[in-house]
Amino acid sequence: MAIQLLVTDPDLNVVGDPLGGWTSLDCTLRFNEPASGSFEIPAHPAVMAQLQPGNRIIVIRDAAVWCAGPLEIPQDYTWSIGESSEPDPGKVTVYFSDDLAVVAGHITWADPAATWANQPDTASYSITSTNAETIIRTLVDVNCGPSALAARQVPHLVLDSVAGVGTTTTVNTRFEALLAACRRVAVDGGRIGFRTRQDNGQIKFGCYAPQDLTATARFSTGLNNLRSITYKQSAPTVTHALVQGSEVEAPADRKFVEVADSTAAATWWRVEKLVDGSAETDTNGELTQAGNEELASGAAPVELATVTVDTPELKAGRDFGLGDKVTIALPTGLEVADVVRSIHLQATPGSGEHVTSLVGSPEATTDPQTVRLIRELGRRLGRLEAR
C-alpha cells in the first residue's frame, strides 16, 4: 500500500511533513459530484498544528493524486480513560472533500455580472443551442471562476484545457445550485463528466468524455480481481416524462412535451411522471431537456457494488475512472455493463486497501431514501426558480 496524506494551506502550499501514523482512511470519489472522505490519526501536536480551518488535504495513492480538497471538519478530537480509553495524546478524525465541493457552494445568478442587490426580478441566465462543455465551463466561470465577481471567485480556480466533448444543448437557470445546473447540461449534452484537479498551484475545472471500457475493464471471479459482489436491479420510476412549460398569459398557449423511454416501458411497464419545465417553449429544447433529465434519473437502476482487487492489469484510477463504462461478470452468468458512479477507497496500515465501485444509473446509490428525496426537491426548486 502506497498512500500518503499531505496538508496544504489555502494557497496550495504544503505546510508540513506528510501525516504519519494514520490508522484508517475512507474516501469516496463521485461522478459529477463532490467527493467525501475521512481519516483517523493520533492527535500529536505536530499533526494538530496542520489541521487548521482553511487548510486542505491531498490524498496521494501510488504517486498520483487520488483526491484533493478542503478540510470540512479539521478536528474531531477524542480522549478518555477507562475500559474504552483512547491513549495519549488522543485521536482526531478529519473530514474532507475535493475542490468540487467549493464550486458546489455557489448558485447560478440570473445576471452574474451584477451585484446581488441588482439581480433582475424575473429574468433567467440562458445559453441556447451551444456545446454542453462550453455551457458548463461558462456557468462555472461566471459564477465562481475567473470571470465571476471578485467576491465570488474561488481562489486559484481556473478553467482547464478544452476537451472538445459534448453535444449541443441549452440551459435556462435562475438561483439554482450550480452543480445541479451543470449536471443536467452534462446529461442532456452527451452524458459528459466534469471535475477539478490540482496542478502546479492551480485548481483546474474541466470536462471530459467518459470511456467505454467494457471490453478491457472487466471484473470476475475468474480474473481474481473481485472479493465480493452485491447486485440489485429495480423497475424504472419513470418511463414517460410529461413536461409542462411554465405558465403563459394565454392558458391555451401553454406548451406540453412528452419524452419517452419506449424500451424501458416495453420491458417493464409505463410509468408517467409530471415534470415542471423551466421555460415557456421548447424552441431550443428546454422542455425536452427537462424530460431527458427525469428519464435518466428514473431509468431502471442497476446497483452493483463490487469490492475489487487491484491487479497489475487493472487498477481503479489508472485503468478506469468515474463515468467510464465497465463490465462485471457475475458468478450467475449474467454480465452487467454500466457507468462507474463512485469509487470508494478504504485503507488501514494493517489490512491494506479495499476499493469498491458503484455501477449503474444516476439513481444507483447507497444514499438513504431521505437523501435522495432532498436531492429531488432541490432539483424541483431549481426549476421553479428558473421559471
Side-chain angles (χ1 to χ4, degrees), residues 1-6 18-19 22 25 58-67 310 315-316 318 345-355:
M1 180 175 63
I3 294 179
Q4 192 176 50
L5 304 181
L6 297 175
L19 297 179
W22 54 271
L25 170 68
I58 303 176
V59 179
I60 299 175
R61 182 185 184 225
D62 295 336
V65 175
W66 179 266
C67 182
D310 281 341
K315 193 169 189 177
R318 185 193 69 186
L345 169 66
Q346 294 175 297
T348 63
S351 61
E353 300 177 0
H354 298 269
V355 179

Side-chain angles (χ1 to χ4, degrees), residues 305-354:
T306 65
V307 179
T308 64
V309 180
D310 281 341
T311 66
E313 295 78 22
L314 189 60
K315 193 169 189 177
R318 185 193 69 186
D319 301 308
F320 70 93
L322 296 172
D324 292 341
K325 184 175 286 189
V326 300
T327 298
I328 308 293
L330 279 67
T332 60
L334 177 68
E335 288 196 354
V336 179
D338 216 320
V339 173
V340 178
R341 294 291 167 187
S342 66
I343 302 175
H344 185 191
L345 169 66
Q346 294 175 297
T348 63
S351 61
E353 300 177 0
H354 298 269

Side-chain angles (χ1 to χ4, degrees), residues 131-143 145 158-163 182 205-207:
N131 170 265
E133 179 184 12
T134 301
I135 294 177
I136 292 172
R137 288 167 61 90
T138 301
L139 287 173
V140 171
D141 184 29
V142 300
N143 284 288
V158 299
L159 296 180
D160 209 339
S161 301
V162 175
C182 290
F205 176 91
C207 298

Side-chain angles (χ1 to χ4, degrees), residues 37-43 47-48 51-53 71-79 86 89-96:
S38 65
F39 64 90
E40 294 182 352
I41 189 170
V47 171
M48 302 298 278
L51 303 177
Q52 298 299 318
L71 299 179
E72 294 187 316
I73 302 179
Q75 298 183 15
D76 186 354
Y77 173 72
T78 58
W79 174 89
E86 190 67 49
K91 176 184 71 176
V92 62
T93 304
V94 181
Y95 298 87
F96 60 91

Side-chain angles (χ1 to χ4, degrees), residues 238-243 257-261 271-275 290-292 294-295:
V238 55
T239 63
H240 290 71
L242 308 179
V243 189
V257 172
E258 178 178 330
V259 185
D261 185 342
V271 184
E272 298 178 344
K273 185 173 183 179
L274 179 64
V275 180
N292 285 332
E294 289 296 336
L295 290 182

Side-chain angles (χ1 to χ4, degrees), residues 150-217:
R152 303 187 71 205
Q153 292 179 11
V154 174
H156 307 290
L157 179 67
V158 299
L159 296 180
D160 209 339
S161 301
V162 175
V165 300
T167 58
T168 299
T169 185
T170 292
V171 70
N172 185 50
T173 182
R174 174 182 170 86
F175 308 145
E176 180 183 6
L178 176 55
L179 287 193
C182 290
R183 277 192 292 270
R184 57 189 177 87
V185 172
V187 168
D188 195 60
R191 300 181 184 275
I192 62 177
F194 53 83
R195 60 194 170 194
T196 56
R197 65 185 183 94
Q198 181 175 325
D199 180 48
N200 293 326
Q202 294 179 316
I203 300 170
K204 296 183 176 180
F205 176 91
C207 298
Y208 67 99
Q211 304 178 77
D212 185 345
L213 302 177
T214 51
T216 57

